[in-house]
Amino acid sequence: MQPSARIALATLLLGAATYLHGLGSLHIMSNGDEMIYAQITRATAANGHWLPLRSEMPDMVNTKPPLLFWQGIVTTDWARHWTLVALRWPSVAWTLLTATLTGLIAWRAKGRDAAAGLFAAAIYMAFLSTYRYGRPFLTNAPETFWVVLCFFVMLWWRPRSFESRFLFPTIVGGIAGVALLTKSFAQLLPIGVGLAAWHLHDARLAGGGRDWRRFFLRSVPGLLWMAILSLGIFGLWFLLDPDPRAIWNEFVVGENIGKIRANRESYLGSLLWGRMSIWIYAGSWFTNVGLLAFPFAGTLLRGWQHRREADETERLLWLWVASYFLVFCLPTQRSGRYLLEAMPAIAVLMTLHWRRLLPSALATTVAAAALMLAIVAWLSWMLERETGSEIFSRWHWGILAAAAVVVSAPLFRGRPLAACTVPAAFCGLLAVSSFLGAFDPPWGGFSPESVAAARGRVVWAPESFRGSAEVYRFVLPGATVRGYPREAGGPEPASVGADDLLIVVRHLAEPPPAGAIGSRIDLVSRQTTRQLLEMLAGKVQENLFCREWLVR
């Protein structure tokens, strides 16, 4: 059964706490683009003008429209308050607003049921994709809100919104224009296809030629006006920027058209094989929902079995999901991130079918969360035992204990499994966040003496991907950080000044390099299969951690 309003509200509050916990951490679930966007924001702010965008990487300037960078400039006060929290908190605000729209759709779809609205918002926030992309300084959180708002406006004021030929196309076109300025003009295609599918459904095309005539006469002009208006708003970037040619070359041609080109010799080959094939792309629905994968699979099954009982709202939601999936099958670069704007519809659909799901589907989420808690607790204990120091605070152990109570509740009470499923997913995310946060300063940072030694000097840092050295500006505030490819082993000697410092990465057991000033402990990412097996066997310290040395 669906949880009560009180339990749904408590779940939603737990979700909000999960999103705020560790927001300023160096190790939150994120994407490599975050530090690139941070660098563009900082460099643009240092220039003292809103446009043109600036970057320390000449080929990574106009990689996205300016709204995200303007947001970062405002929240950091032109980079004078340069912290990760200042950059990230608007992302959480956008995500909460999207969760609100999700809840309102479910509230109306379930006959103004407050519990359903709260629960749908909590489900959306419990998705792994929402948590991973809805907190960092990325375009995904604001983009998702504005795209979802387009569909929300049409759905909320139906049927008047579908009958309107100018007012609602103008409103939706304005909203879509902001969405394009947040991410890309390419977002117009899935928005347009999704809304066109809704209009086609509303026109009852299966009824005959009259319905086609009604669609072309009533809906197509409004859709065209919406597209023209949204593209016009996006075009303001070209009008306001003093170098529109750079936007065309870097953003339109390089960033967008480049993703349509085939990465293999055959388009059909890239469609059917490889890590960007349609099969991997379809599986990203399940990776996006994370620990709720089996409840989502149950929703797909129940939705098909009860398709004849579905009302108009549910049918429109399925069309929304299908439109986004089909549109992003077309580019050769297919990613689960492209489906983020359809995840609110998934959350509402899961809410509508929650009472029909098998207990075993819900139990898998609780069991997976319990396994995550066990792994985090074991790693925490092993690390403190190997280092002989109290790395984790009492808050960490308190979080693990409280999470253990939540995931074990179905074992000791009557039938609370449906009520514990989503909270268990939040507990799993919160436990991982608490574990990773231990490797932030002070334990995972350089000493005050090292920070003082680096202030005002150039520090060369290794980069495993472009722009990742930007994170050291938060580790060594006041230093001028420059990156070099990790595989190169060091920067070009000709570019290094006599007073520059260098970040050198070593295993924990290795002695300090010559000229060492200080060090910090950091996590090793992207372990091999052998390293993962060794960690399970107890060799945690050797494979999970490294030491970064600051040397002359």
Side-chain angles (χ1 to χ4, degrees):
M1 295 180 63
Q2 179 183 292
S4 64
R6 184 176 299 178
I7 294 177
L9 177 59
T11 303
L12 191 57
L13 293 176
L14 174 61
T18 302
Y19 274 68
L20 293 174
H21 181 272
L23 190 60
S25 173
L26 300 170
H27 301 94
I28 71 169
M29 293 184 189
S30 182
N31 181 274
D33 292 339
E34 182 180 25
M35 289 300 109
I36 295 176
Y37 299 159
Q39 184 187 115
I40 296 173
T41 301
R42 179 181 52 77
T44 304
N47 189 45
H49 299 281
W50 298 101
L51 288 172
L53 300 177
R54 300 292 187 184
S55 174
E56 295 173 2
M57 295 180 289
D59 58 338
M60 297 291 290
V61 182
N62 293 297
T63 181
K64 287 294 180 291
L67 284 191
L68 177 71
F69 311 118
W70 291 350
Q71 172 188 293
I73 288 173
V74 171
T75 59
T76 62
D77 189 20
W78 289 86
R80 285 187 285 267
H81 183 55
W82 192 247
T83 66
L84 287 171
V85 173
L87 287 171
R88 290 169 174 168
W89 73 258
S91 296
V92 176
W94 289 118
T95 300
L96 292 174
L97 288 173
T98 305
T100 301
L101 298 180
T102 304
L104 288 173
I105 295 173
W107 172 75
R108 164 101 35 116
K110 290 282 284 185
R112 301 177 183 271
D113 185 352
L118 294 169
F119 191 57
I123 289 178
Y124 171 70
M125 293 181 66
F127 290 157
L128 179 62
S129 61
T130 309
Y131 183 76
R132 181 180 179 184
Y133 298 109
R135 301 172 71 220
F137 183 61
L138 299 171
T139 59
N140 301 107
E143 170 205 11
T144 300
F145 169 77
W146 292 108
V147 170
V148 171
L149 187 59
C150 293
F151 291 93
F152 175 84
V153 167
M154 294 297 297
L155 196 61
W156 190 261
W157 280 279
R158 185 171 58 94
R160 188 155 60 100
S161 58
F162 284 85
E163 296 169 355
S164 174
R165 298 190 178 186
F166 180 76
L167 177 60
F168 277 90
T170 301
I171 294 173
V172 175
I175 297 170
V178 179
L180 304 191
L181 268 179
T182 303
K183 180 68 175 287
S184 171
F185 64 89
Q187 274 295 338
L188 179 61
L189 182 59
I191 294 174
V193 171
L195 294 180
W198 279 15
H199 280 281
L200 285 169
H201 176 78
D202 186 66
R204 310 288 189 189
L205 291 182
R210 289 183 181 179
D211 294 322
W212 279 103
R213 183 172 182 272
R214 179 186 178 193
F215 170 72
F216 281 107
L217 292 179
R218 187 196 66 177
S219 302
V220 169
L223 290 171
L224 290 175
W225 166 238
M226 180 212 75
I228 293 171
L229 178 59
S230 61
L231 287 175
I233 294 174
F234 177 80
L236 292 175
W237 183 17
F238 288 82
L239 293 177
L240 297 175
D241 198 291
D243 191 5
R245 183 185 295 269
I247 299 174
W248 177 265
N249 293 332
E250 298 169 20
F251 181 74
V252 177
V253 177
E255 180 71 15
N256 288 272
I257 297 179
K259 293 183 179 179
I260 300 176
R261 298 170 181 166
N263 295 324
R264 301 168 61 108
E265 295 181 0
S266 167
Y267 178 84
L268 182 62
S270 65
L271 180 70
L272 299 178
W273 296 281
R275 63 184 183 88
M276 291 186 181
S277 67
I278 191 173
W279 318 115
I280 302 297
Y281 175 58
S284 63
W285 287 114
F286 295 91
T287 56
N288 279 357
V289 298
L291 294 181
L292 295 172
F294 280 94
F296 170 62
T299 300
L300 294 176
L301 177 62
R302 296 307 186 198
W304 175 257
Q305 291 175 339
H306 297 272
R307 61 189 182 279
R308 299 187 186 279
E309 305 169 21
D311 59 13
E312 292 305 302
T313 298
E314 183 178 345
R315 294 176 187 272
L316 291 175
L317 291 173
W318 285 116
L319 283 174
W320 178 358
V321 172
S323 298
Y324 260 80
F325 178 77
L326 294 175
V327 165
F328 287 111
C329 283
L330 299 178
T332 54
Q333 183 172 333
R334 303 172 187 89
S335 169
R337 293 177 66 180
Y338 299 155
L339 303 175
L340 294 179
E341 289 77 28
M343 299 310 295
I346 294 294
V348 177
L349 291 168
M350 290 180 67
T351 302
L352 297 178
H353 291 281
W354 194 261
R355 61 183 177 83
R356 296 185 174 124
L357 300 182
L358 293 175
S360 57
L362 305 179
T364 58
T365 298
V366 179
L371 179 61
M372 288 179 64
L373 288 176
I375 293 175
V376 169
W378 182 80
L379 289 175
S380 302
W381 175 76
M382 287 287 295
L383 181 59
E384 288 201 342
R385 190 192 69 172
E386 291 186 13
T387 58
S389 59
E390 294 185 3
I391 299 172
F392 300 95
S393 66
R394 294 180 180 178
W395 278 106
H396 173 71
W397 298 109
I399 288 173
L400 294 185
V405 172
V406 173
V407 299
S408 61
L411 301 176
F412 301 103
R413 295 187 58 186
R415 296 176 59 187
L417 185 60
C420 292
T421 302
V422 178
F426 283 128
C427 287
L429 297 174
L430 190 58
V432 173
S433 175
S434 180
F435 176 80
L436 297 178
F439 305 100
D440 294 325
W443 194 81
F446 289 103
S447 65
E449 294 77 16
S450 299
V451 174
R455 187 172 290 113
R457 300 169 71 177
V458 174
V459 177
W460 293 87
E463 291 183 326
S464 54
F465 46 84
R466 293 292 302 276
S468 61
E470 184 70 19
V471 73
Y472 289 95
R473 290 185 178 269
F474 302 100
V475 179
L476 297 169
T480 300
V481 179
R482 296 177 183 172
Y484 66 87
R486 183 183 293 269
E487 60 273 11
E492 291 291 335
S495 60
V496 178
D499 200 40
D500 291 359
L501 302 178
L502 181 70
I503 298 289
V504 177
V505 181
R506 294 285 188 267
H507 292 294
L508 289 181
E510 291 187 61
I517 298 175
S519 68
R520 77 180 187 114
I521 302 294
D522 198 18
L523 292 168
V524 176
S525 60
R526 301 179 181 179
Q527 284 86 359
T528 64
T529 303
R530 181 185 61 81
Q531 289 175 318
L532 292 175
L533 293 175
E534 289 181 355
M535 287 170 58
L536 293 175
K539 295 182 179 180
V540 179
Q541 183 172 326
E542 299 90 332
N543 297 292
L544 188 59
F545 310 103
C546 64
R547 186 178 294 276
E548 294 185 346
W549 292 92
L550 183 66
V551 303
R552 296 181 180 85

